[in-house]
Amino acid sequence: NAGVTQTPKFQVLKTGQSMTLQCAQDMNHEYMSWYRQDPGMGLRLIHYSVGAGITDQGEVPNGYNVSRSTTEDFPLRLLSAAPSQTSVYFCASSYGPTQETQYFGPGTRLLVL
Amino acid sequence: AQKITQTQPGMFVQEKEAVTLDCTYDTSDPSYGLFWYKQPSSGEMIFLIYQGSYDQQNATEGRYSLNFQKARKSANLVISASQLGDSAMYFCAMRETHSGTYKYIFGTGTRLKVLA
């Protein structure tokens, strides 16, 4: 198993550009989620999904879109990048929404100029 | 609103000694889960331990134990026999499950430095 994979590892964007952060898992996990990590603020939940076709907002959803067309993939779209979206983004997954262990991807470092 | 508080931005501990990292939480949901994660300088998030709100006993995983005091709404992490490799950021997190939502809230973290 590859676990949770994220691409790219690092990305530089200009303000106003759009892009998609990719997240995939090969563990047949139902629950997947996206977080952003900013210095001094811990991780904050952006969006999550409890299964294919089902998504919901987290704590900081503005400026981000998600969709879940397959169990394996959960891409995060930045519609119009802003400097405030400079952060490290983590994707995570678990068998179900109430499972004990979330498995995290390695993270994507995003810089918006 | 649900909240996780970690009041210790940084901690030092001597190698082989025990250390307690504090975490308090606030929720009105009767069903919730509490987690601790470790983030080394390499950046990955590593799951350490879990405690469910209905669990009667404190969770333990090897050198990690969770001191769960429900009435005080605290979920402190105890690391016994600290090792140099324990130097990292530690995050406390809570998962609430109500009305079909499943959201995680993380604290701001505690940076632990183990001294040789």
Side-chain angles (χ1 to χ4, degrees), chain A residues 83-99:
Chain A
S84 60
Q85 294 180 303
T86 293
S87 189
V88 179
Y89 291 85
F90 286 98
C91 179
S93 72
S94 61
Y95 283 106
T98 59
Q99 294 300 306

Side-chain angles (χ1 to χ4, degrees), chain A residues 31 33 35 37 40-45 48 50 56-59 90 94 96-106, chain B residues 34-35 37 39 42-47 49-50 55 61 89 91 95-97 100-109:
Chain A
Y31 184 89
S33 53
Y35 298 87
Q37 184 177 26
M41 298 195 69
L43 276 73
R44 291 183 293 169
L45 181 65
Y48 70 94
V50 298
D56 201 355
Q57 295 181 352
E59 182 183 356
F90 286 98
S94 61
T98 59
Q99 294 300 306
E100 296 176 12
T101 307
Q102 275 197 106
Y103 297 86
F104 280 81
Chain B
L34 296 159
F35 304 77
Y37 290 87
Q39 186 176 42
S42 53
E44 71 266 34
M45 294 291 290
I46 302 168
F47 166 77
I49 197 166
Y50 166 83
D55 293 344
E61 290 285 349
M89 281 290 288
F91 292 97
R95 179 195 64 224
E96 285 193 329
T97 56
T101 65
Y102 305 92
K103 297 183 179 181
Y104 288 78
I105 302 291
F106 282 74
T108 53

Side-chain angles (χ1 to χ4, degrees), chain A residues 58-98:
Chain A
E59 182 183 356
V60 288
N62 292 340
Y64 307 96
N65 271 0
V66 293
S67 60
R68 184 96 179 270
S69 56
T70 67
T71 299
E72 294 78 19
D73 300 300
F74 191 43
L76 179 71
R77 298 181 187 86
L78 280 69
L79 308 174
S80 177
S84 60
Q85 294 180 303
T86 293
S87 189
V88 179
Y89 291 85
F90 286 98
C91 179
S93 72
S94 61
Y95 283 106
T98 59

Side-chain angles (χ1 to χ4, degrees), chain B residues 7-29:
Chain B
T7 57
Q8 307 154 310
M11 290 278 288
F12 290 95
V13 65
Q14 206 67 35
E15 192 178 11
K16 300 180 184 178
E17 292 186 347
V19 62
T20 297
L21 306 184
D22 294 340
C23 174
T24 58
Y25 61 93
D26 186 23
T27 181
S28 57
D29 192 342

